[in-house]
Amino acid sequence: MQRTGTTSTGQFLKDHGFSCIGWDGDRHNQWSQSFFEKDYDSIFNSLDFRCSNAYEDSPWWFPKFYEILHKNFPDAKFILLKRDPVNWFNSLLSHSNGNVVGAPIRHCKIYHREEELKSLLQKKLMTEDQANSYKGDKIMKITPAHQAHYIRCYMEHYNDAVKYFSNTSPTSLFTGNLEDPEKWQKIGGFLNLRVAPDYNSHRNNSLKDSIYNKN
């Protein structure tokens, strides 16, 4: 899920020899749009996808996409880091200064705020262009009052992923805690990598996020 160390995980994979692609790949190929159109072949046939062997950020964390990926690439390994739910929500809240993260139309599908978006569009309080834009100040916001709703979405996402792999391929999924200081060494064990005992990866993309308001 976003705000659970995806960029840091991508850096870890790059540091250990993987050709890992993240947000830039999505932006260049419009993978998120293809995901919501269920045009998965466009994603899998793209050059950036085929030239990489590790993937982080959107659209890979989108709900239930792991099922499509696992069915198409049954030998793939999946990494799921869990963050304290309140800390996760606070990170999401501060990510874009209270704006919904990314294009409202996609954000609302992921976090079950479609009816609210539909109402704004019908009342002409938001234009279609605004609903599809990931840049600038947003009409739709995330506030502290949304905490319970977003945490419920987050835990549903996490529990669904764990349940899916438990029922289909338990050895394909690594689960760990973002707050665990030994997480990188544990991920290394999962991927059969040698990871230095003092290795650490933490990437704060606050500047990049403020410019692109991604995800």
Side-chain angles (χ1 to χ4, degrees), residues 8-193:
S8 296
T9 302
Q11 188 61 50
F12 165 84
L13 294 168
K14 291 175 184 176
D15 290 344
H16 291 84
F18 285 88
S19 176
C20 182
I21 193 164
W23 162 241
D24 288 342
D26 185 1
R27 183 174 49 164
H28 179 256
N29 296 280
Q30 297 186 327
W31 284 333
S32 289
Q33 180 176 336
S34 295
F35 169 84
F36 284 109
E37 293 173 353
K38 297 184 178 180
D39 182 10
Y40 307 124
D41 285 343
S42 289
I43 300 175
F44 303 149
N45 291 329
S46 63
L47 183 61
D48 282 333
F49 179 87
R50 291 187 289 111
C51 288
S52 304
N53 59 9
Y55 313 85
E56 58 91 5
D57 212 319
S58 56
W60 320 111
W61 60 268
F62 287 176
K64 304 288 188 178
F65 195 22
Y66 51 81
E67 295 186 12
I68 304 297
L69 294 166
H70 180 242
K71 290 172 183 175
N72 280 272
F73 308 97
D75 295 329
K77 299 291 186 180
F78 295 79
I79 297 169
L80 178 63
L81 290 177
K82 186 178 183 180
R83 189 174 189 178
D84 174 83
V86 173
N87 290 341
W88 171 81
F89 175 75
N90 288 336
S91 178
L92 194 71
L93 185 66
S94 64
H95 177 270
S96 301
N97 297 317
N99 290 300
V100 295
V101 184
I105 193 168
R106 295 173 185 169
H107 182 97
C108 289
K109 288 178 181 178
I110 292 169
Y111 292 107
H112 309 307
R113 294 179 65 180
E114 297 101 321
E115 290 302 315
E116 184 180 348
L117 176 65
K118 181 180 178 181
S119 177
L120 289 170
L121 290 170
Q122 288 178 340
K123 294 176 180 177
K124 299 189 183 302
L125 298 175
M126 178 186 287
T127 67
E128 291 287 346
D129 286 345
Q130 289 172 323
N132 284 280
S133 176
Y134 62 86
K135 297 181 179 180
D137 195 41
K138 310 287 177 56
I139 293 171
M140 294 190 73
K141 305 293 182 181
I142 305 174
T143 71
H146 289 106
Q147 177 175 301
H149 174 82
Y150 275 84
I151 287 179
R152 187 163 54 249
C153 293
Y154 172 59
M155 293 309 302
E156 180 182 90
H157 171 83
Y158 180 86
N159 291 329
D160 283 352
V162 171
K163 182 179 180 180
Y164 172 81
F165 284 102
S166 294
N167 291 335
T168 58
S169 182
T171 59
S172 296
L173 177 68
F174 171 89
T175 59
N177 292 312
L178 185 64
E179 293 88 355
D180 183 356
E182 297 181 353
K183 59 184 173 295
W184 305 121
Q185 289 73 25
K186 292 176 181 178
I187 292 174
F190 172 68
L191 298 175
N192 295 317
L193 301 173

